[in-house]
Amino acid sequence: MLPVTPAGVLVGRDSEMSVLAELVRDVARGQGSSVLIEGEPGIGKSALVRAALAKGPDAGCHVFWGAGDELGQALPLVPFLEGLLVREPSANPRRNTIVRLLRGEVSADRGTDVSAALAEQLLALVAEQCAAQPTILVVDDLQWADPATIALWARLARSVRQARLLLVGMTRPVPQREDLLALRRLVGDVGRLQLTRLTETAVADLVAALAGGRPEDSLLRLAAGAAGNPLYLTELVAALARSSSLTVTAAGAAELASGPAPGSLSAAIADRLGFVAGPVRDVLRAAALLGVDFAVRDLAIVLGRSVADLIPAVDEARAAGVLAESGNGLGFRHPLIRAALYDEMPAPVRAAWHRDAGRALAEAGAPTDRVARQLLRAVGGPGGTTEPVDEWMLNWLAGTADPLVGQAPGVAAELLTRAVAGSPAGLGQHDWLESRLADALYRVGDIAGAEQVANRALEYAAEPDLLVDLHWTLAQCRIRAGLSAESLATLNQALAYPGLLARHRARLLVLAARTHSNVGEVEKAGQVAATALAAAAEAGDNWAMGWALHVLTLVTSAQGQMTDALPLFDRALTVTQADPALTDLRLLLQINKAITLGDLDQYEEALAAARQARQLADQVGTVIRLGQAHSALGQLLFGTGRWDEALAEVEILQEDLKEPAAACCDLGIAAVISFHRGETGMARRHLAAAAPHASRFGHRLIGPLALARSLDREHDGALPEALAELTAGFRGHAEELEEIEDLLADAVRLAVETGDAGTAQVLAGQAAALATDSAVPHRQANALYCRGLVDQDAARLLTAAERYDDAGRPLLRAKALEAAAAEFVRAGDRGQARAAFTRAVEVYASLGAAADVARLQARFRAYGIRRGPRAKHRQARSGWDSLTPTETKVAAFVEEGLSNPEIAARLLLSRRTVATHVSHILKKLDVHSRTDIAREAALRTITAR
């Protein structure tokens, strides 16, 4: 939408213009920022931003403009999709992927959140755009935007310091949605511009510019009724001019003549529309159905006319100040003008016209979301009058339900609810629509509703594909509700259904295998999965083969046969690679394979697999899978002592974007590292942040979080409580031994220190049981370490340190060396004690574990053993010396002018990982932008000379 005032007229906004102009200059120089502009309707938000950004292209910036729309607020991400012009023909692979997702051409597995996948693609598209050119991205009318759009705006706002991006949002003060209030808190007072009413002086200046002369007192008194609202003033003066109630004297004074004047803004807008001829008004009403901004081609389709035929009406509407150019189309000069036209139509007329508009757009090949926007208003628009769901609507929904459910499950649920209610049960079309409704309800979180619909449909569903589909939704619902066992009886009935093909049987068996696995029946799950795999192979069904192999990897790993799981992973990954619909499963398999390789201490292969998973998730995954991939990589990096890299991985995504378990794991890792580095306050902030996530899954143990909580207690000297944090909930549960494997070493250490010999013996026995017949180095090391602590055996502890070194686990190696040193002191062998002590200090120092180095030195100083000469100095916490090797490389590339994607390609990292490194560099150097990093690097080079 363009300014409400004539071209070049923007009055009373000098300070705001100055702020925005500076932000444009900043982004042109490479410094990103975000700003949220608030104000009442007509106050001039859009006009201000248009004027401020007018020089953006001349400064080398690419400007994108999207807007929320009252008609489209139920459809996810439309402001970004339309603002970034993703539907326009392009050779850009990212844009083409987005378009294919929207069209349903990129197959998505059941349960895949297409909206979340779109958000990730849009985020990446913006990052790539910013890397290519300074970018200004505007989202107007955020009060009408969907939650996914608000969430994406927030994510971009958090990352603006990492990109050449000026992010602008505009919103009205009402409605006071919680997500919009969160945006205000996010940008803070510094990032908010609140447009207030014009001052008396500014009102006089605006009226003078509009009227063409200096306003006299009578005109100013009338203008005062507009309460400083620029739109009202503009419409008021225009109405006076149309009615010849305004004259300009030879002396240049604008005088108010006799005659009526509109008494409100709506009256002034109505006055403007009253001067529009009838045929033009019909065109405008049709345009009002399409929203504030619209494509001229869509308007021609809705009216059944050619674009050339519309030109006279469009020209007249523009001349009358009703329409203006907007991006690549047209738009109403203000949403209030469009609302006046829309509201004057009787509700039944609007509903019928929306229905006809939807059909016309569909038949012309318009995108699914644009058709759905019309049909949603036809069947459930304001005014209480709706159109019946006729045969054409049913046919359209039947053909587009899958992509619509994936992209906009809320919209799909509303349309499908009415369609199912309006068609007789038992017909093929009704049954299919009901299955899609169950899926849509599940995706929007209405688990009870989805289960009810699926159960109802199963009473009369006969078509095998439909049976499988409904059972899949039902199984997902019951898994979410913790009622997996109830699905087994229903699945067994379905498997007995006559006429099942191998493909249908395989898919039902996969569901049964997953259900058995979810209820802990591991052996049964493996048997059913093997049967499902055979049936799937017979049918050539990659989907069923992939899921059956997934269950088999879980079963095999749960049975302790991790090495045997590796060929199953490889086979499953080969199967899923051939089918784009299985991308989400392939990601899950790749992540699980990386974790399994790590459990086997095959860290180089594990890190490679995790990075592949991260890359794939970055390209095509949802935020959930992306979070899992970063979390898996973070765990592997933490275990191998690459703590700075681990922190970069676990800090990439906001915690509220992650699954609760992943958030707890990541925050636990960050807290553990902070405790070891002596950053107790930071560690406790991580623990506090994890608490609400941990409350969402009850007593389930997350290893890194349990370890962090234990360290917190230990830091306060509460050793029994520290031990309890590691052992609580697991006594007598041998089947959960795998879950506590990484906690055994610390648990035995604490048990010995507290004098709890019984617990120490039991836990040492569990470590020994895991090591029996195992060639995995860390399991052998755990058994040696735990037994060495219990038996006070220094030689055994040294051997444990060697095996931990073989396993690639430096933190546990240092602990074993420390324990060995203590036992050598006890035995009076100071030479051996000093050697073990020195090596322990070196390992702790290499990790940056300053708290451990200080504790160890203090402990052994009493024995006359001091820090060895090879121990490293404590790392600086700020300035250039505090940068890690990776951060130093990233800073050098920033100095060269490389973008995050370009740096990522050079260092074989993800762009998000690079962004996190840049964030750490900014914090450590106490600067605010990439330009600052480059400047500081150049100054440092000059100083060094």
Side-chain angles (χ1 to χ4, degrees):
M1 291 168 294
L2 295 182
V4 297
T5 51
V9 178
L10 188 70
V11 174
R13 303 298 186 201
D14 291 347
S15 63
E16 293 89 346
M17 275 289 292
S18 177
V19 169
L20 292 178
E22 181 63 28
L23 293 179
V24 172
R25 288 192 289 270
D26 285 345
V27 75
R29 293 192 295 259
Q31 181 174 335
S33 58
S34 61
V35 60
L36 187 64
I37 302 172
E38 299 176 316
E40 66 184 42
I43 204 66
K45 302 182 292 296
S46 302
L48 170 69
V49 174
R50 291 281 185 192
L53 303 189
K55 294 183 179 179
D58 293 337
C61 301
H62 195 144
V63 180
F64 295 96
W65 189 295
D69 192 316
E70 195 173 9
L71 286 179
Q73 55 189 316
L75 293 159
L77 301 170
V78 168
F80 281 107
L81 292 168
E82 296 189 347
L84 291 166
L85 308 174
V86 297
R87 289 192 175 95
E88 302 214 352
S90 172
N92 183 298
R94 184 79 63 180
R95 291 178 175 274
N96 289 334
T97 297
I98 294 172
V99 171
R100 292 174 63 213
L101 274 168
L102 289 170
R103 292 174 178 169
E105 294 172 2
V106 175
S107 301
D109 194 11
R110 292 293 310 281
T112 299
D113 187 342
V114 177
S115 176
L118 282 170
E120 294 307 309
Q121 293 296 315
L122 289 167
L123 202 64
L125 178 62
V126 172
E128 292 167 0
Q129 176 63 43
C130 294
Q133 182 180 7
T135 300
I136 302 173
L137 177 56
V138 182
V139 182
D140 201 351
D141 287 320
L142 281 168
Q143 75 278 355
W144 286 330
D146 61 282
T149 292
I150 302 297
L152 183 54
W153 198 97
R155 291 180 68 184
L156 287 168
R158 293 187 185 102
S159 66
V160 288
R161 293 178 66 193
Q162 313 300 323
R164 297 183 294 177
L165 173 66
L166 172 55
L167 181 67
V168 182
M170 288 176 276
T171 183
R172 298 177 183 179
V174 291
Q176 295 216 343
R177 292 166 42 179
E178 179 53 39
D179 52 358
L180 288 175
L181 293 175
L183 278 194
R184 293 172 185 166
R185 293 191 294 269
L186 173 65
V187 300
D189 292 339
V190 175
R192 288 173 62 196
L193 274 181
Q194 292 181 287
L195 295 193
T196 57
R197 297 175 178 182
L198 297 178
T199 64
E200 290 185 7
T201 301
V203 167
D205 292 341
L206 179 57
V207 172
L210 295 169
R214 184 184 69 259
E216 291 200 340
D217 290 346
S218 58
L219 181 55
L220 288 176
R221 284 194 296 273
L222 181 62
N229 185 291
L231 176 64
Y232 192 172
L233 288 167
T234 301
E235 295 301 324
L236 175 65
V237 173
L240 294 173
R242 283 192 296 270
S243 63
S244 301
S245 298
L246 190 64
T247 60
V248 179
T249 67
E255 295 181 342
L256 184 63
S258 59
S264 66
L265 177 55
S266 58
I269 291 173
D271 182 88
R272 178 183 293 277
L273 294 174
F275 280 79
V276 176
V280 177
R281 198 180 188 93
D282 290 339
V283 171
L284 292 173
R285 284 173 174 158
L289 297 172
L290 298 172
V292 177
D293 298 309
F294 55 90
V296 179
R297 181 174 179 273
D298 286 353
L299 179 59
I301 290 169
V302 168
L303 288 169
R305 297 162 64 177
S306 68
V307 173
D309 190 34
L310 290 177
I311 290 176
V314 169
D315 286 344
E316 185 174 337
R318 293 180 64 199
V322 177
L323 296 181
E325 289 185 29
S326 180
N328 291 340
L330 292 173
F332 287 93
R333 199 162 51 82
H334 195 278
L336 293 175
I337 298 175
R338 178 252 164 201
L341 284 159
Y342 189 80
D343 293 341
E344 74 180 13
M345 288 185 279
V349 173
R350 284 202 308 261
W353 207 351
H354 273 301
R355 184 260 181 210
D356 290 347
R359 180 168 185 173
L361 289 168
E363 291 175 348
T368 300
D369 59 302
R370 288 187 188 169
V371 178
R373 186 187 309 193
Q374 297 299 315
L375 298 186
L376 199 59
R377 288 290 170 142
V379 302
T385 302
T386 62
E387 279 288 290
V389 179
D390 59 16
E391 184 178 358
W392 177 83
M393 278 195 205
L394 291 174
N395 290 332
W396 181 82
L397 278 170
T400 60
D402 270 337
L404 187 61
V405 168
Q407 181 189 349
V411 173
E414 184 168 348
L415 290 173
L416 288 166
T417 296
R418 296 179 182 274
V420 167
S423 60
L427 296 181
Q429 189 178 66
H430 172 278
D431 297 352
W432 166 246
L433 292 173
E434 194 159 34
S435 75
R436 299 295 78 232
L437 173 59
D439 188 19
L441 292 171
Y442 170 76
R443 289 174 186 251
V444 298
D446 185 358
I447 306 303
E451 184 173 358
Q452 181 181 6
V453 170
N455 276 323
R456 185 177 66 217
L458 281 170
E459 293 176 2
Y460 46 79
E463 202 275 319
D465 280 334
L466 202 58
L467 279 172
V468 173
D469 187 272
L470 289 166
H471 277 294
W472 181 267
T473 301
L474 192 58
Q476 295 293 104
C477 290
R478 288 175 174 169
I479 289 170
R480 288 276 295 271
L483 302 171
S484 299
E486 295 184 8
S487 293
L488 289 173
T490 309
L491 286 168
N492 288 332
Q493 291 175 5
L495 283 165
Y497 191 85
L500 283 181
L501 299 176
R503 180 172 67 89
H504 302 129
R505 181 173 176 78
R507 295 194 172 203
L508 289 171
L509 284 168
V510 163
L511 288 175
R514 292 185 68 193
T515 306
H516 282 296
S517 178
N518 287 329
V519 298
E521 298 173 356
V522 177
E523 186 174 351
K524 183 66 174 177
Q527 294 170 356
V528 176
T531 305
L533 181 60
E538 178 188 343
D541 185 351
N542 284 340
W543 185 96
M545 288 176 66
W547 279 105
L549 286 163
H550 168 63
V551 175
L552 287 172
T553 64
L554 297 178
V555 168
T556 307
S557 297
Q559 292 173 335
Q561 302 166 7
M562 292 182 291
T563 302
D564 294 338
L566 295 179
L568 293 172
F569 278 118
D570 292 337
R571 183 179 174 188
L573 287 166
T574 300
V575 167
T576 55
Q577 190 170 13
D579 190 346
L582 295 175
T583 298
D584 188 67
L585 174 58
R586 181 153 57 102
L587 267 170
L588 181 58
L589 289 162
Q590 189 76 24
I591 292 166
N592 288 346
K593 179 183 178 182
I595 294 171
T596 301
L597 286 165
D599 289 340
L600 291 167
D601 295 336
Q602 298 179 24
Y603 277 110
E604 290 308 313
E605 297 93 332
L607 289 166
R611 289 185 175 116
Q612 289 173 7
R614 182 187 62 186
Q615 182 180 9
L616 181 61
D618 198 45
Q619 292 172 346
V620 296
T622 64
V623 69
I624 295 297
R625 291 286 181 253
L626 185 64
Q628 292 170 342
H630 282 295
S631 184
L633 186 52
Q635 292 177 61
L636 294 168
L637 291 166
F638 168 72
T640 54
R642 307 177 202 186
W643 286 4
D644 291 304
E645 293 179 66
L647 287 172
E649 291 298 329
V650 301
E651 293 175 3
I652 283 172
L653 293 179
Q654 294 292 120
E655 276 71 38
D656 58 358
L657 298 174
K658 303 174 185 177
E659 285 184 318
C664 287
C665 182
D666 291 352
L667 288 164
I669 287 173
V672 169
I673 292 173
S674 296
F675 276 123
H676 282 288
R677 289 183 167 177
E679 300 165 351
T680 306
M682 177 64 73
R684 287 175 171 163
R685 285 193 289 276
H686 289 313
L687 285 176
H693 299 289
S695 67
R696 293 173 60 185
F697 52 75
H699 298 292
R700 177 182 170 191
L701 183 139
I702 301 295
L705 183 59
L707 183 57
R709 287 171 170 169
S710 177
L711 286 170
D712 189 24
R713 298 287 192 175
E714 187 174 359
H715 183 275
D716 290 339
L719 297 189
E721 291 81 0
L723 175 60
E725 290 289 352
L726 300 181
T727 59
F730 287 89
R731 296 184 186 277
H733 294 279
E735 70 276 7
E736 296 176 332
L737 190 55
E738 303 281 344
E739 295 288 338
I740 63 170
E741 178 181 0
D742 288 339
L743 304 180
L744 284 171
D746 279 286
V748 171
R749 175 181 61 81
L750 288 168
V752 170
E753 290 183 17
T754 58
D756 189 347
T759 297
Q761 288 284 3
V762 169
L763 295 177
Q766 291 178 335
L770 284 171
T772 301
D773 298 326
S774 174
V776 179
H778 82 264
R779 285 192 168 175
Q780 296 176 355
N782 274 347
L784 289 165
Y785 177 67
C786 293
R787 180 50 55 190
L789 288 172
V790 171
D791 294 346
Q792 299 181 339
D793 186 337
R796 194 185 296 267
L797 289 167
L798 281 182
T799 306
E802 292 174 2
R803 293 305 282 148
Y804 278 132
D805 192 27
D806 294 338
R809 301 195 176 197
L811 178 60
L812 288 169
R813 178 188 175 218
K815 290 182 179 182
L817 288 167
E818 179 182 351
E823 293 304 327
F824 282 125
V825 167
R826 191 191 313 275
D829 189 341
R830 295 174 60 84
Q832 289 265 50
R834 180 182 297 280
F837 161 79
T838 300
R839 281 183 286 163
V841 171
E842 288 175 347
V843 178
Y844 280 134
S846 71
L847 297 170
D852 294 298
V853 170
R855 174 184 50 75
L856 191 58
Q857 287 179 324
R859 178 182 180 184
F860 282 84
R861 191 177 296 122
Y863 307 123
I865 298 175
R866 299 184 181 277
R867 184 172 183 171
R870 290 179 294 168
K872 298 180 181 179
H873 294 289
R874 181 172 177 174
Q875 187 175 349
R877 295 190 180 183
S878 62
W880 283 99
D881 290 339
S882 70
L883 300 189
T884 67
T886 301
E887 289 167 354
T888 301
K889 292 177 184 176
V890 170
F893 285 131
V894 170
E895 183 185 6
E896 291 180 25
L898 271 65
S899 65
N900 283 0
E902 290 170 332
I903 297 172
R906 295 278 188 96
L907 297 180
L908 301 179
L909 300 173
S910 78
R911 58 180 177 77
R912 287 184 173 88
T913 302
V914 172
T916 303
H917 284 308
V918 173
S919 180
H920 289 171
I921 295 168
L922 291 170
K923 184 177 180 180
K924 290 178 178 179
L925 299 184
D926 193 25
V927 295
H928 303 289
S929 70
R930 300 171 70 89
T931 305
D932 294 339
I933 294 174
R935 184 184 65 248
E936 292 294 321
L939 290 173
R940 183 168 183 260
T941 302
I942 293 171
T943 303
R945 291 172 184 170

